[in-house]
């Protein structure tokens, strides 16, 4: 059975990092209700969820995806690229220890899990403001898989802001974001430019947890045979968050 590790939202989430300050402040109570809807959607997909306490000293701690990369029973616990996030992995490592062999990333490596996408036997990794060459090298050493480094445009925070894996041979890719040739041999479901945010989705078998209010993306996913679980994202979006970043699924 698939598991997901999530983390409760602290009051300090109102101060979470954002590339652009939101027009209205984060409503933390609403963010918590939306986080519950997200966890319920994952549970509907058959995922067993463990949620650990948040940490007031870590405003971004709900974004657990950035703190580890898990392949099989090995968890590479990362050193996130934003200094304010570098203590988040401590509790994540402790929690993952129950299920995985935990390996810790050391300085000077930095890597955010949101930059890492597994697709078949290939691991794609975004070269971003958060993920450096040493982080990518440690990813290669740890998993000994085929690793493809992808240059990200400066306005894209993480690789998975524009592309998500749907199954072993299918990706959901925002139009105009990355060259489709990167995913040659895989089936691509395109997200129209005006719905780019919807390119981040969590797939569990034939089920997909997807952001609400992106009808063209929903139609494309339904036409491809996926069952959709739309969830609200207004508050995490104010902190540059979306769906994959709120869980570690393994
Ligand atoms: N607010 C999420 C991040 O910047 O990492």
């Amino acid at each position: 059975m698939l598991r997901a590790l999530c983390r409760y939202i602290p009051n300090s989430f109102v101060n979470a990092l954002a590339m652009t300050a939101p027009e209205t402040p984060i409503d933390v109570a609403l963010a918590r209700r939306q986080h519950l809807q997200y966890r319920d959607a994952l549970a509907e997909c058959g995922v067993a969820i463990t949620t650990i306490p948040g940490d007031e000293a870590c405003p971004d701690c709900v974004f657990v995806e950035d703190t580890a990369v898990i392949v099989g029973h090995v968890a590479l616990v990362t050193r996130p690229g934003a200094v304010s996030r570098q203590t988040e992995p401590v509790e994540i490592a402790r929690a993952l220890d129950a299920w995985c062999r935990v390996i810790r990333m050391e300085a000077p490596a930095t890597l955010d899990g949101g930059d890492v996408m597994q697709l078949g036997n290939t691991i794609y990794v975004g070269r971003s403001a958060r993920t450096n060459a040493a982080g990518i090298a440690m990813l290669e050493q740890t998993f000994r898989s085929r690793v493809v480094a992808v240059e990200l445009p400066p306005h894209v925070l993480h690789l998975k802001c524009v592309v998500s894996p749907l199954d072993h041979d299918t990706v959901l890719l925002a139009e105009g974001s990355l060259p489709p040739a990167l995913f040659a041999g895989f089936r691509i479901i395109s997200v129209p430019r005006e719905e780019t945010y919807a390119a981040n989705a969590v797939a569990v078998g034939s089920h997909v947890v997807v952001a609400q209010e992106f009808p063209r993306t929903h139609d494309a996913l339904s036409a491809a045979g996926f069952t959709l679980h739309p969830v609200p994202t207004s508050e995490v979006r104010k902190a540059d968050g979306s769906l994959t970043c709120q869980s570690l699924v393994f």
Side-chain angles (χ1 to χ4, degrees), residues 35-138:
H35 191 241
L36 178 60
Q37 287 173 271
Y38 171 80
R39 286 180 277 129
D40 284 347
L42 282 178
E44 281 169 20
C45 298
V47 177
I49 299 173
T50 300
T51 308
I52 63 171
D55 180 349
E56 289 300 337
C58 299
D60 287 280
C61 65
V62 67
F63 299 128
V64 292
E65 176 184 54
D66 292 321
T67 62
V69 177
I70 305 173
V71 179
H73 292 287
V74 176
L76 175 61
V77 170
T78 69
R79 185 166 172 267
V83 173
S84 68
R85 302 195 57 189
Q86 286 178 351
T87 57
E88 290 176 29
V90 174
E91 290 304 321
I92 296 295
R94 210 189 305 272
L96 287 177
D97 199 43
W99 300 288
C100 300
R101 183 163 70 86
V102 172
I103 297 172
R104 295 296 300 263
M105 185 171 274
E106 304 292 342
T110 65
L111 182 139
D112 279 10
D115 276 325
V116 178
M117 179 175 82
Q118 296 172 53
L119 198 57
N121 295 323
T122 302
I123 300 179
Y124 289 87
V125 56
R127 229 191 270 281
S128 70
R130 300 286 179 85
T131 295
N132 66 17
I136 295 172
M138 177 124 197

Side-chain angles (χ1 to χ4, degrees), residues 161-164 166 171-177 188-201 210 214 216-218 220-221:
C161 293
V162 291
V163 62
S164 310
L166 291 174
V171 288
L172 184 63
L173 175 65
E175 263 175 18
S177 61
I188 295 176
I189 297 179
S190 283
V191 171
R193 276 173 201 264
E194 67 275 18
E195 295 195 0
T196 291
Y197 183 78
N200 182 278
V210 63
F214 293 96
R216 293 181 61 196
T217 304
H218 293 187
L221 286 166

